[in-house]
Amino acid sequence: MNNRIINSYVENFCGQNDFDSNKFLLFSTYQICKKHNLDENMLIDCVVEGGGDGGLDSIVALVDKKYIYSLDEFNEYAEQINENSRIDLYFIQAKETNGIKETAFMKIKDVFEKLLVSNSITKELRIQYNQVLIEKFELINEIIIKSSPKTNNIYINVAYAYTGNLDKDSISIGTKNQINSIKKLVSDTTYINEANISVDIFDSNKLINIANKSIQKDYIIKYKTIFKMNYRSDSENGFVMNMSIKDYYNLITQDNEIIDVLFEGNIRDFEGQTVEVNKNIKNTLEEVYDADFWWLNNGITMIVDSYTPLPNDSAKVVNPIIVNGLQTSYTIFNYFKENIDKLENEDRNILLKIVNTDSINISDMIISSTNRQNAVKPAQLKATDPIQKDIEQLLLKNGIYYERRKNYYKNRGIDKHKIVTLENLAQYLESIYYGNCSGARNNPTTLLKSEKLYNKLFNNSINPNIYTITSEVALKTLECLRKIKKNNDDIFNKKYSVSLDIFKFYIMRMIVLCLCDNNISENYLEIDLEKIDYDLTVNIINKLESIVSDIKDDNDNIINISKSKELDNKINSEDLSEIYLKVTT
């Protein structure tokens, strides 16, 4: 395949996501991990490419579908790992080359021998390899060590992506031997079953095929019986239907894997087969009863944007989310995945309730009410928290779409540059307003998971205008950063071969410090947002680069500095009066 074609896919992907460096790597990493739908922050964080990378370009760690940024973040999840937990670890090398080189796999094998589940990462190894790679392996090793006694569902995926095309003569015998030796080495080192270890090659054709598979939004429902009732209009109605368990299994799975996106609106994740309620559901599937399955189970609640009847007892639904019944769904999935031969003759039914509405308020009411029957922690209902609804309405008045529920506005075609997610706002508040940029960058999920941190960021004693100002500062800064990268004015890319995106929270914080004349507590609500422009942002970036240059010594990795508390302290104590005078006079 002509390299120009794969290059056009890469450029289109990076243009949509505002990536200006490591383009083929970021494109490849996203496609290889596509089922996990990594966002921009995750893709930037997983990069280890650079001097001393050991032949690896990106490393991705997911625990129960959650991207793990740091060791501290994993330690918060470690206690929750159980026999049903799934660990996905990716080691990716991406090369813009037409051929496959045996030496690439030799390097990967070498770095695994030295760093994977190592008893100690010596001073010599810390000199040989860059700090980001070392940190990623420390995280990976901890995940493997703490997860192995609890679950057998640990999957290690080594991937080699390149811009050429694979044919029967592309892989030499030496390369094949290296691939087999990597799988054996990893298995011998980690005691993970070799069946759970893969070494795959992704050529341009394979990457393009994955890229062309868009995330599904339309689904076909097949039912046996149905009851319909309109609410206030033909566009707001509900359906109660019986559908076969076989059809439901096929609805929620693709390639024999569950479709996670269907469950993004559910406040809980799967709580495991050992939980009493799930044991009972599994027993109901295993045993032969005189009663149908739906007689013994509460069923599923689904919210859809639109519902279109089709012939032959079927319907098309758009943007479905399952807001109640996740435990039932995963138990059905796990049972029939292990007993796929039983699915064909399965004749029992499940109850499905569909609500057709485009009102997020009605969706919130359904999510809250259908999940109040069992004990639910307040933290699990953050998206339906009254203060979050108030923030959404406040930001809408200023042309900003606050995405309390994942992908709600994205799925409706809203310009992504006008969307602020709940997770984004937590990071922006923690970095821009409170000055903890490293914390916002390193442990973003902690800001919402910890009740203490969440209540610090979202409470009724905070002036609501702070949420608006913080969001506008962030969006205006990001707009300036896009223009700077487009104009090739990214000093970090030129000097250190990294994108200034890794410093975006620090840049936002410095802009606010500058416009507040270093007095945020007094001047934050009076910020003149019109002064956030290209020239100010360039001045701030130049100042930040000089601070980073002062911190960095020969052994420091630039990405490591971008995560450091030292950089926070330097910025928060920096005198920005000279820049402030430039923009205010």
Side-chain angles (χ1 to χ4, degrees), residues 77 402 524:
Y77 285 110
Y402 186 47
Y524 195 76

Side-chain angles (χ1 to χ4, degrees), residues 304-508:
V304 302
D305 282 356
S306 72
Y307 179 100
T308 305
L310 298 174
N312 301 320
D313 294 333
S314 62
K316 183 178 80 171
V317 294
V318 177
N319 289 332
I321 58 166
I322 293 169
V323 298
N324 188 252
L326 179 143
Q327 305 305 319
T328 297
S329 301
Y330 269 78
T331 303
I332 289 173
F333 164 69
N334 287 323
Y335 176 73
F336 284 107
K337 184 178 182 182
E338 295 170 4
N339 302 277
I340 197 68
D341 55 308
K342 295 183 179 181
L343 187 62
E344 188 61 35
N345 296 320
E346 178 59 61
D347 61 356
R348 287 172 292 179
N349 302 291
I350 190 168
L351 187 70
L352 176 63
K353 179 172 69 176
I354 297 179
V355 178
N356 176 25
T357 179
D358 58 3
S359 168
I360 192 170
N361 289 327
I362 293 176
S363 299
D364 290 341
M365 290 169 61
I366 295 169
I367 291 169
S368 296
S369 62
T370 55
N371 285 283
R372 290 294 187 188
Q373 297 158 352
N374 300 306
V376 176
K377 296 178 183 178
Q380 293 176 299
L381 286 166
K382 287 187 177 75
T384 60
D385 192 341
I387 192 172
Q388 298 297 338
K389 298 179 185 180
D390 292 342
I391 293 171
E392 181 182 24
Q393 294 306 311
L394 183 67
L395 295 186
L396 273 175
K397 292 178 182 177
N398 291 273
I400 299 171
Y401 296 85
Y402 186 47
E403 205 167 63
R404 297 183 284 117
R405 196 172 74 210
K406 188 175 180 181
N407 292 329
Y408 181 81
Y409 287 115
K410 177 184 176 182
N411 286 343
R412 285 153 181 80
I414 299 299
D415 181 356
K416 73 168 192 169
H417 297 134
K418 295 180 180 179
I419 295 174
V420 172
T421 68
L422 197 159
E423 292 82 2
N424 289 155
L425 185 55
Q427 287 180 290
Y428 297 152
L429 287 164
E430 184 69 2
S431 55
I432 298 172
Y433 189 68
Y434 289 104
N436 182 20
C437 303
S438 60
R441 171 152 161 59
N442 298 339
N443 299 309
T445 57
T446 303
L447 301 177
L448 297 179
K449 189 175 179 183
S450 162
E451 285 296 310
K452 183 178 179 181
L453 286 175
Y454 174 79
N455 291 331
K456 179 187 82 170
L457 299 173
F458 300 104
N459 66 79
N460 290 320
S461 65
I462 294 178
N463 187 315
N465 290 325
I466 287 175
Y467 298 115
T468 304
I469 291 169
T470 302
S471 299
E472 290 188 325
V473 167
L475 293 183
K476 287 180 75 68
T477 303
L478 292 173
E479 181 183 2
C480 292
L481 295 184
R482 288 194 295 274
K483 291 178 180 176
I484 288 168
K485 290 186 292 182
K486 187 176 181 180
N487 290 342
N488 263 341
D489 284 342
D490 182 351
I491 189 172
F492 285 99
N493 191 19
K494 292 176 180 177
K495 191 168 181 179
Y496 305 108
S497 297
V498 298
S499 172
L500 53 76
D501 286 325
I502 65 175
F503 292 102
K504 64 185 177 184
F505 296 129
Y506 300 96
I507 296 167
M508 293 171 188

Side-chain angles (χ1 to χ4, degrees), residues 105-120:
F105 295 93
M106 292 172 65
K107 287 180 180 179
I108 294 173
K109 181 184 176 185
D110 183 60
V111 77
F112 280 165
E113 285 177 334
K114 292 176 179 175
L115 297 181
L116 188 61
V117 195
S118 172
N119 289 327
S120 66

Side-chain angles (χ1 to χ4, degrees), residues 41-103:
N41 291 333
M42 297 169 185
L43 287 170
I44 292 170
D45 179 80
C46 72
V47 172
V48 298
E49 186 270 341
D53 61 25
L56 293 170
D57 295 323
S58 63
I59 297 177
V60 176
L62 298 117
V63 176
D64 287 330
K65 299 171 288 185
K66 298 178 180 67
Y67 180 90
I68 304 298
Y69 283 87
S70 66
L71 194 54
D72 288 343
E73 189 174 42
F74 169 70
N75 287 332
E76 293 186 5
Y77 285 110
E79 293 297 319
Q80 301 173 28
I81 294 173
N82 57 51
E83 65 180 12
N84 298 296
S85 293
R86 177 176 174 124
I87 314 297
D88 291 283
L89 308 173
Y90 291 85
F91 301 86
I92 298 169
Q93 183 174 130
K95 299 300 178 190
E96 296 183 63
T97 177
N98 288 325
I100 302 172
K101 295 184 179 179
E102 181 182 342
T103 54

Side-chain angles (χ1 to χ4, degrees), residues 129 135 142 149 188 279 310 497 503 567:
Y129 297 112
E135 285 183 1
E142 195 73 3
D188 291 345
K279 284 170 65 178
L310 298 174
S497 297
F503 292 102
L567 185 56

Side-chain angles (χ1 to χ4, degrees), residues 102 171-180:
E102 181 182 342
I171 307 177
S172 67
I173 294 175
T175 298
K176 290 177 181 177
N177 290 337
Q178 289 297 328
I179 288 173
N180 290 331

Side-chain angles (χ1 to χ4, degrees), residues 281-294:
I281 296 170
K282 184 181 179 184
N283 289 339
T284 307
L285 290 168
E286 289 176 329
E287 301 295 329
V288 177
Y289 292 96
D290 291 333
D292 200 345
F293 181 82
W294 74 271

